[in-house]
Amino acid sequence: MPPKKAAAEDKILLGRPSNNLKIGVVGLPNVGKSTFFNAITNSSAPAENFPFCTIDPEESRVAVPDARMDVLMEKFKSSTRIPAWLTVIDIAGLVKGASAGEGLGNAFLSHVRAVDAIFHVCRAFDEVDVIHVDGEVNPIKDLETIHHELRLKDEEFIKSAIVDLKKTMGKLGSNNTAPERARQAEMAILEKLLHYVVEEKKDVRCGDWNNKEVEVINPLMLLTAKPVIYLVNLSETDYIRKKNKWLAKIHAWVQENNAGDVLIPFSGSLESRISEMDEAAREEELKKVGTTSALPKIVVSGYSALNLIYYFTAGPMESRCWTIRKGTKAPQAAGVIHTDFERGFIMAEVMRYDDLKELGNEAAVKAAGKYMQKGREYVVQDGDIIHFKFNVTAQPKKK
């Protein structure tokens, strides 16, 4: 009998293992961060024309748009819809030398460290009334500044971790004990990480790290390990005509330095203007100027960058999104609703959204043999419509 194949190891993701994650709006002063934040959250964080008008981070939740919710509301005659939410934080502007404490450097970098992904706003519009911190508009130079400052701070974090680890090594008098071997393995990972950041000058998120390496990287909360979405702030005219002298250069820079990162052009001035209108007026204005808002795409991309997905529960009372991380198994997904669901998990009854839409209703999905019963090892997929069965008879164990 041939030997059994070893089960594939689940890949550990970079970042915090949570479904309550935040994305921060980052950039130099006066590139349109707060204007973008105000538009995307319909809030009123100050957006004055001088550096550091945002000092304490502003925080707001944004509903994630999804047309599938409209279908569920119709199919199940739901009275309430509860979408998924993206938490967005407006962070103070960074300047050159921030890693050494220049400007609001230390506060800025601590705020970046506290979020889980980054909307990196760079400016590609000329406007005399909006002062650029360096005196000229050059988005490539701006990108390099932030890229450099974040890497310098990561270098500091990694070196500090190495110093701390060295203090604990060799104290047991033997290099062959299990704890000492674990420390040596951790040191090798930290040195590899330092070489990657300092010598290769690459962002940590671009590396191909195995699970043991990710377990060492994640507690460090490195700035360049966070997913980044580049948002290019254009003038209203350039955005509508889909032309700008910097766009191709910015795209080339992103591909050269962080291939695979998402780049989305938008117009802060347009989004700010239409955010003050009601929905009907907003649609009419966009139709009049011949364009669409970039905000829905930006929100969905931010949610995806955090490795977040959601499943649905649906019925007459409500259709609702439940946020989980990619790779979450059924019992843990059930636990997002209530811990009893996870503790007493029996099974997940699952419909695919596409099957429901195509076949028309739950009874038709069942008749077609596409209503599935899944156990503990089932990895929940984005858009699954789930009914959990559970039974709790015992009190939870005391920790």
Side-chain angles (χ1 to χ4, degrees):
M1 179 181 283
K4 290 183 179 180
K5 291 183 179 178
E9 187 179 23
D10 292 335
K11 178 74 173 174
I12 301 176
L13 299 172
L14 284 172
R16 289 193 298 132
S18 170
N19 67 338
N20 183 24
L21 303 176
K22 302 176 181 181
I23 189 163
V25 184
V26 170
L28 268 65
N30 293 347
V31 297
K33 298 186 308 302
S34 292
T35 300
F36 162 72
F37 178 82
N38 291 344
I40 201 170
T41 63
N42 240 342
S43 63
S44 54
E48 283 80 6
N49 175 24
F50 57 88
F52 317 129
C53 76
T54 303
I55 297 175
D56 296 323
E58 297 278 346
E59 179 175 326
S60 189
R61 292 199 315 160
V62 185
V64 179
D66 191 335
R68 295 177 296 183
M69 285 289 280
D70 298 329
V71 175
L72 293 181
M73 292 289 291
E74 179 196 346
K75 299 286 186 191
F76 290 92
K77 310 299 181 189
S78 306
S79 57
T80 304
R81 67 187 294 157
I82 303 177
W85 298 93
L86 177 68
T87 301
V88 183
I89 297 178
D90 184 20
I91 298 174
L94 174 149
V95 293
K96 190 173 182 179
S99 59
E102 291 294 321
L104 295 169
N106 290 328
F108 168 90
L109 293 167
S110 69
H111 294 152
V112 177
R113 203 177 189 195
V115 300
D116 303 283
I118 294 170
F119 281 139
H120 183 161
V121 180
C122 66
R123 173 178 171 177
F125 66 89
D126 292 301
E127 189 171 329
V128 175
D129 293 337
V130 181
I131 304 162
H132 190 283
V133 70
D134 290 333
E136 64 171 348
V137 174
N138 186 335
I140 303 302
K141 184 179 176 183
D142 294 353
L143 290 167
E144 289 285 2
T145 295
I146 290 190
H147 187 244
H148 181 68
E149 294 298 331
L150 297 185
R151 272 196 303 102
L152 282 179
K153 202 64 183 178
D154 276 357
E155 178 182 341
E156 180 184 318
F157 291 145
I158 299 165
K159 286 180 175 178
S160 176
I162 289 173
V163 169
D164 290 343
L165 184 59
K166 280 182 177 177
K167 292 176 182 177
T168 69
M169 295 180 71
K171 288 189 175 181
L172 299 178
S174 171
N175 289 330
N176 201 32
T177 62
E180 191 63 25
R181 289 196 301 272
R183 292 188 187 98
Q184 290 168 358
E186 183 178 351
M187 180 62 74
I189 292 170
L190 288 173
E191 289 173 345
K192 176 181 176 180
L193 188 61
L194 186 64
H195 182 272
Y196 188 80
V197 170
V198 176
E199 303 301 327
E200 298 185 41
K201 300 190 184 302
K202 291 182 179 179
D203 288 354
V204 175
R205 68 182 177 281
C206 299
D208 183 18
W209 311 104
N210 62 39
N211 282 356
K212 289 190 181 298
E213 290 167 338
V214 172
E215 287 174 349
V216 172
I217 293 170
N218 278 346
L220 298 175
M221 299 172 65
L222 298 175
L223 307 181
T224 67
K226 303 177 189 298
V228 176
I229 295 171
Y230 293 94
L231 304 179
V232 184
N233 192 2
L234 309 176
S235 69
E236 192 169 325
T237 301
D238 283 359
Y239 178 74
I240 292 169
R241 68 188 185 126
K242 299 180 180 178
K243 288 184 179 180
N244 177 275
K245 64 182 181 180
W246 290 106
L247 267 180
K249 295 175 183 177
I250 295 169
H251 180 266
W253 185 92
V254 171
Q255 291 307 306
E256 180 182 348
N257 291 277
N258 296 298
D261 282 358
V262 176
L263 185 153
I264 303 175
F266 79 106
S267 171
S269 60
L270 172 66
E271 301 294 356
S272 177
R273 185 163 63 82
I274 65 173
S275 70
E276 298 173 359
M277 303 176 182
D278 61 38
E279 188 173 348
R282 186 160 56 243
E283 289 180 4
E284 181 64 28
E285 178 63 18
L286 290 171
K287 184 177 179 181
K288 176 183 171 184
V289 299
T291 193
T292 57
S293 170
L295 296 189
K297 181 179 180 181
I298 291 171
V299 173
V300 171
S301 297
Y303 195 82
S304 177
L306 290 165
N307 286 307
L308 296 176
I309 60 172
Y310 46 83
Y311 64 88
F312 300 112
T313 55
M317 287 185 64
E318 67 179 27
S319 288
R320 181 168 186 156
C321 300
W322 297 93
T323 296
I324 56 174
R325 272 200 120 192
K326 285 180 184 175
T328 300
K329 293 182 178 179
Q332 289 70 48
V336 174
I337 299 176
H338 195 284
T339 53
D340 282 353
F341 281 38
E342 179 178 356
R343 189 160 60 91
F345 178 87
I346 297 172
M347 71 170 68
E349 296 182 339
V350 182
M351 281 189 293
R352 303 276 190 234
Y353 167 81
D354 289 340
D355 291 336
L356 176 68
K357 184 178 180 183
E358 178 187 345
L359 297 170
N361 56 52
E362 185 175 320
V365 173
K366 288 180 177 178
K370 295 186 175 182
Y371 192 85
M372 301 169 287
Q373 293 182 334
K374 298 292 186 178
R376 293 183 171 276
E377 294 305 307
Y378 176 67
V379 176
V380 174
Q381 303 300 304
D382 181 63
D384 279 352
I385 304 162
I386 304 181
H387 174 70
F388 291 106
K389 288 190 173 181
F390 71 103
N391 181 31
V392 178
T393 56
Q395 291 299 313
K397 293 179 181 178
K398 293 183 179 179
K399 294 182 179 179

